[in-house]
Amino acid sequence: MKKTIGLFAAGALVLALSACGGAAPAGTGGGAKSLDQLVVGFAQVGAESGWRTANTKDIQAAFADAKIKLQFSDAQQKQENQIKAIRSYIQQKVDYIAFSPVVQTGWDAVLNEAKAANIPVVLTDRAVDSKDTSLYKTFLGSDFVLEGKKAGEWLLADAKGASAPVNVIQLEGTTGSAPAIDRATGFADAIKADTNIKVVASQTGDFTRAGGKQVAEALLKSHPEATVIYAHNDDMGLGAIEAIEAAGKVPGKDIKIITVDAVHDGMQALADGKINFIVECSPLLGKQLIEIITKLNAGETVPARIVTEEGTFTQEQAKAALPNRKY
Ligand code: GYE
């Protein structure tokens, strides 16, 4: 047994040595570098929500653990800032670029520049709608359509047999972003099964608490017949709670609330009965991003799509999960 381990170890050493001295593996960024020599540029969306803050923390921690140098930028939810950041990473000749595209369209030019510079790109969290899939190595993140579907299915079950119409206000995420588009699609698909359920108003709150509050305030006034709010993230749902309470109504009872994410403050509101159901969307993508970069750096291929696994939470499940929640 010992002998076998010794042989393996020797083999690994030879591999490691040849990797150091050999030519760059095809299709990788800088070529034959050890992980601690790599530099990765990460263009983040912003700091718009609890989800985003947890995502940034997780990514920074994963890079520190892996001892890979991270160049991090915050685009404050503006595509032009993200494009600038990516261009500066190309100029700095980083080994890899990872980014979470704020909106789906308009990336082909800058991604072609990265490709021409032979810098592999990894999409984390949000997708681009480019037809040319050679512009990035993989897309790591959630299935947002499925998340919307889970939200709609909860409402279908909750509204079953209701005598009065079920009128929904939808608080959309950032206009043109993959999660806003897909979470609306999945939800609409699910509620089609019950003609008693209708989305009576739908407007963007840009994934922020302030945006959610402001839009909920206005839409609750213009649609007094609404009894449900479906918010594309917890933060907008939390903003809606403030708007409902300010209007003298009881969130979770007079107006039911469904959200997506399951960050700490959302889970607390669910445990308190102010939110009725949360679809989970995991921000913990750091470890998987490091795995992808490690593989690419070793010249291995990675699957074109890596989907995050996630569940849903009722009030009881939120109460049980809260003490061990990391974010
Ligand atoms: O749901 C929201 C954040 O892209 C999945 O962005 C992410 C979304 C998340 O602002 O809270």
Side-chain angles (χ1 to χ4, degrees), residues 45 47-52 77 100-101 124-126 142 144 147 174 177-180 183 206-208 232-236 260-261 263 281-283:
V45 169
E48 73 280 6
S49 64
W51 190 101
R52 189 65 54 195
Q77 287 188 285
S100 176
T124 72
D125 157 38
R126 294 185 185 177
S142 310
F144 300 132
E147 290 172 351
T174 301
S177 72
R183 286 173 186 166
D206 213 9
F207 279 133
T208 66
H232 288 179
N233 77 345
D234 287 349
D235 282 81
M236 292 190 294
V260 186
D261 276 354
V263 295
C281 176
S282 176

Side-chain angles (χ1 to χ4, degrees), residues 142-221:
S142 310
D143 180 339
F144 300 132
V145 177
L146 182 63
E147 290 172 351
K149 207 171 153 233
K150 288 176 184 170
E153 276 165 0
W154 180 83
L155 187 57
L156 270 186
D158 189 67
K160 204 168 176 192
S163 48
V166 177
N167 295 314
V168 183
I169 288 172
Q170 177 170 244
L171 303 179
E172 302 164 19
T174 301
T175 306
S177 72
I181 296 167
D182 294 352
R183 286 173 186 166
T185 303
F187 185 78
D189 269 3
I191 62 166
K192 262 199 320 229
D194 185 345
T195 51
N196 200 34
I197 306 175
K198 266 193 203 82
V199 175
V200 291
S202 185
Q203 210 173 297
T204 183
D206 213 9
F207 279 133
T208 66
R209 208 175 282 207
K213 183 180 178 196
Q214 202 191 342
V215 175
E217 232 160 46
L219 293 183
L220 284 167
K221 269 194 202 130

Side-chain angles (χ1 to χ4, degrees), residues 48-165:
E48 73 280 6
S49 64
W51 190 101
R52 189 65 54 195
T53 311
N55 178 247
T56 292
K57 246 178 93 183
D58 187 62
I59 283 167
Q60 288 173 335
F63 275 84
D65 281 354
K67 300 193 169 51
I68 299 177
K69 190 158 185 242
L70 175 67
Q71 301 275 17
F72 184 89
S73 57
D74 172 339
Q76 300 184 314
Q77 287 188 285
K78 291 204 180 77
Q79 182 172 33
E80 62 198 85
N81 291 347
Q82 269 194 316
I83 291 175
K84 260 190 218 152
I86 294 169
R87 289 214 166 107
S88 98
Y89 296 147
I90 296 172
Q91 241 163 31
Q92 291 170 52
K93 298 190 170 44
V94 299
D95 298 287
Y96 297 89
I97 291 171
F99 84 115
S100 176
V102 59
V103 290
Q104 282 198 153
T105 55
W107 299 103
D108 283 45
V110 73
L111 292 183
N112 268 304
E113 290 165 32
K115 192 179 173 185
N118 198 27
I119 302 174
V121 171
V122 174
L123 302 179
T124 72
D125 157 38
R126 294 185 185 177
V128 298
D129 79 344
S130 172
K131 299 246 166 0
D132 183 357
T133 54
S134 79
L135 295 178
Y136 53 90
K137 295 288 173 194
T138 183
F139 164 35
L140 162 68
S142 310
D143 180 339
F144 300 132
V145 177
L146 182 63
E147 290 172 351
K149 207 171 153 233
K150 288 176 184 170
E153 276 165 0
W154 180 83
L155 187 57
L156 270 186
D158 189 67
K160 204 168 176 192
S163 48

